[in-house]
Amino acid sequence: MPSNAITLTPSASGHAFTRNPLWLSMPGAGQRVFSIYGQGYTSEHPAYTGEVTAPAVINLAEFLEAIIPAIGDPGEQGAIISYGLQDGTVTIAVDDGSQEPTTMQIIAHQGGVSKQNYRKLIQANTDIFAARFLNPACNFFLTTRTHDWRLNIKETELYPLVFFYPERGALAVRDIVSGYTVNVPAVNNNVDYHGKLCSLDLKAARNYFLGQCGVIASAFDVLFDEEPAARIAIQEARPQRERYRLKFRNSFGAFECVELTGNAQVEPVFNGDQEEQKYRRYMADIDDFATERQREEVTTVINVSTGYKTNEELRFILDAIASDEIYLLDVASDPIKVIVTAEELTYDHRPNGPQAFNLKITPVDGDTCITQELVGGAVTSRGGVFSEEFSEEFD
């Protein structure tokens, strides 16, 4: 590559995270105008335009963070694979005024790796996408549970695993015990999703093996062109008196679930200064003033222990606490968006056994109107004796 070439670093894979540096290097001398477009913006109306004096190096990460959508939530749709979660392609154009602008494309994703990981990957002249996520010979799922090719997930924490379908070839999931295999095609409705973000739902895969093959699968090999890429073991969850789950965006921007097994204590917290909300109203019947107040806003805070976790699970919990989008499941009929904080985040580096954290879970919405929760989004009527599946003769 010529020494005066305009470059993006790191770009070993053509992908980049928005929370790690992405350097645009513009050598030479003179004025340079760079612009960023895509995601609804055009070259005539870019998302951002800037002018610098070369030589210059610009970190584009914050610009990309502002325009790249978050990875879609695949949800639990009952299909083994869900397709096309996100397309984060953007174009960077650099114009020196003397010729056609130099343009480069990058596929960006909200998320990032730790600084330690970033430095190690840069030293190896690669990035996390080329080294792992686009590498069909390893654990290519966007999970922060582990970097290892073996992935252990509790059955209560199952949630679709996001991944980039390899650029070529085909994926399959095989039950290790029985040897039964289900293919996970890259083509859906005549659209080729090679290289695109998809998700693998292990609950749906287990249902398939149970219904079609008569086996309860708990250990899978994920195969690429019939060669093992990763192994997933589903662990039995121990019986617990209480169990809740947090669904959160991990550091890579994909949703995952973690269970909490401690006793939950509910603490209604009234927000605001009660004295400031009081006011005096004139009462004509007594020719005097009476004290009244505005209706108070209340937030229902939940204090709960994580339950005992291994060191690896504790780091996963830390990723959940740091997340910018968290939902509390299994408390109400619908997920509750929350902010999670922890008390006394201290644990032994070399523990003798599992350890636990105490978490404070605060819904993002306070409310001044406190009513009973609607189930299913509608007010229920008395109804008939039988469900809707029966004919009207049974009503």
Side-chain angles (χ1 to χ4, degrees), residues 144-146 152-154 157 235-236 238 258-261 305-319 345-357:
T144 55
R145 291 179 184 274
T146 180
N152 297 317
I153 307 176
K154 293 179 180 177
E157 296 180 347
Q235 299 176 336
E236 181 182 3
R238 295 180 177 178
V258 62
E259 71 167 7
L260 311 174
T261 56
S305 170
T306 61
Y308 288 106
K309 304 290 184 183
T310 64
N311 252 26
E312 190 173 77
E313 289 177 308
L314 287 178
R315 291 198 63 82
F316 192 53
I317 289 280
L318 292 179
D319 194 25
L345 274 172
T346 302
Y347 60 94
D348 295 333
H349 180 62
R350 298 181 182 276
N352 294 323
Q355 303 171 85
F357 289 152

Side-chain angles (χ1 to χ4, degrees), residues 31-91:
Q31 296 300 112
R32 301 283 187 273
V33 177
F34 69 95
S35 60
I36 303 171
Y37 57 91
Q39 302 302 309
Y41 298 93
T42 64
S43 56
E44 292 79 16
H45 302 283
Y48 182 83
T49 299
E51 184 174 353
V52 295
T53 301
V57 179
I58 304 293
N59 181 7
L60 301 180
E62 289 188 5
F63 303 120
L64 299 181
E65 175 84 6
I67 65 172
I68 295 299
I71 295 174
D73 182 3
E76 297 178 285
Q77 303 175 12
I80 294 177
I81 183 171
S82 297
Y83 298 92
L85 300 183
Q86 179 215 24
D87 180 9
T89 302
V90 296
T91 300

Side-chain angles (χ1 to χ4, degrees), residues 93-107:
V94 180
D95 189 358
D96 63 3
S98 62
Q99 56 187 1
E100 286 294 316
T102 300
T103 60
M104 297 163 286
Q105 281 195 332
I106 193 80
I107 305 174

Side-chain angles (χ1 to χ4, degrees), residues 142-392:
L142 273 69
T143 175
T144 55
R145 291 179 184 274
T146 180
H147 286 304
D148 195 73
W149 66 277
R150 293 159 298 190
L151 182 58
N152 297 317
I153 307 176
K154 293 179 180 177
E155 59 184 349
T156 50
E157 296 180 347
L158 286 175
Y159 202 74
L161 292 167
V162 177
F163 69 101
F164 291 93
Y165 205 106
E167 291 284 353
R168 55 179 179 78
L171 283 178
V173 178
R174 181 177 65 199
D175 173 33
I176 295 176
V177 177
S178 68
Y180 290 121
T181 302
V182 57
N183 294 320
V184 184
V187 178
N188 182 55
N189 292 331
N190 297 320
V191 179
D192 190 342
Y193 287 95
H194 280 105
K196 304 298 184 181
L197 270 177
C198 301
S199 68
L200 177 67
D201 190 337
L202 292 175
K203 282 186 181 179
R206 297 185 90 190
N207 288 337
Y208 172 87
F209 285 119
L210 179 61
Q212 300 297 320
C213 309
V215 297
I216 301 176
S218 296
F220 304 93
D221 274 335
V222 179
L223 311 173
F224 169 70
D225 283 348
E226 300 184 359
E227 293 295 326
R231 175 164 291 181
I232 303 173
I234 299 175
Q235 299 176 336
E236 181 182 3
R238 295 180 177 178
Q240 300 289 343
R241 184 174 179 273
E242 296 183 48
R243 177 178 280 111
Y244 311 97
R245 291 175 296 157
L246 294 177
K247 184 179 82 169
F248 66 98
R249 285 195 185 276
N250 64 21
S251 292
F252 301 140
F255 277 111
E256 295 197 82
C257 279
V258 62
E259 71 167 7
L260 311 174
T261 56
N263 295 334
Q265 294 183 321
V266 178
E267 179 186 358
V269 176
F270 289 89
N271 305 322
D273 189 327
Q274 295 188 15
E275 291 300 322
E276 288 184 358
Q277 294 182 2
K278 293 179 181 178
Y279 61 95
R280 303 275 286 176
R281 183 190 293 272
Y282 176 72
M283 300 295 181
D285 60 337
I286 59 174
D287 190 28
D288 201 353
F289 289 87
T291 300
E292 296 191 6
R293 71 172 187 182
Q294 298 174 345
R295 190 171 177 85
E296 291 214 38
E297 182 181 77
V298 62
T299 300
T300 303
V301 177
I302 298 175
N303 298 289
V304 61
S305 170
T306 61
Y308 288 106
K309 304 290 184 183
T310 64
N311 252 26
E312 190 173 77
E313 289 177 308
L314 287 178
R315 291 198 63 82
F316 192 53
I317 289 280
L318 292 179
D319 194 25
I321 295 172
S323 177
D324 57 337
E325 187 174 356
I326 314 173
Y327 298 90
L328 177 63
L329 311 180
D330 309 318
V331 168
S333 58
D334 298 315
I336 303 171
K337 191 172 184 180
V338 296
I339 295 172
V340 180
T341 56
E343 301 176 1
E344 299 180 4
L345 274 172
T346 302
Y347 60 94
D348 295 333
H349 180 62
R350 298 181 182 276
N352 294 323
Q355 303 171 85
F357 289 152
N358 292 318
L359 301 184
K360 182 178 181 180
I361 302 175
T362 307
V364 298
D365 296 322
D367 213 330
T368 57
C369 300
I370 305 169
T371 60
Q372 295 296 332
E373 198 175 273
L374 290 179
V375 179
V379 178
T380 56
S381 59
R382 177 177 177 179
V385 176
F386 297 96
S387 68
E388 294 179 356
E389 285 76 13
F390 292 90
S391 66
E392 60 184 11

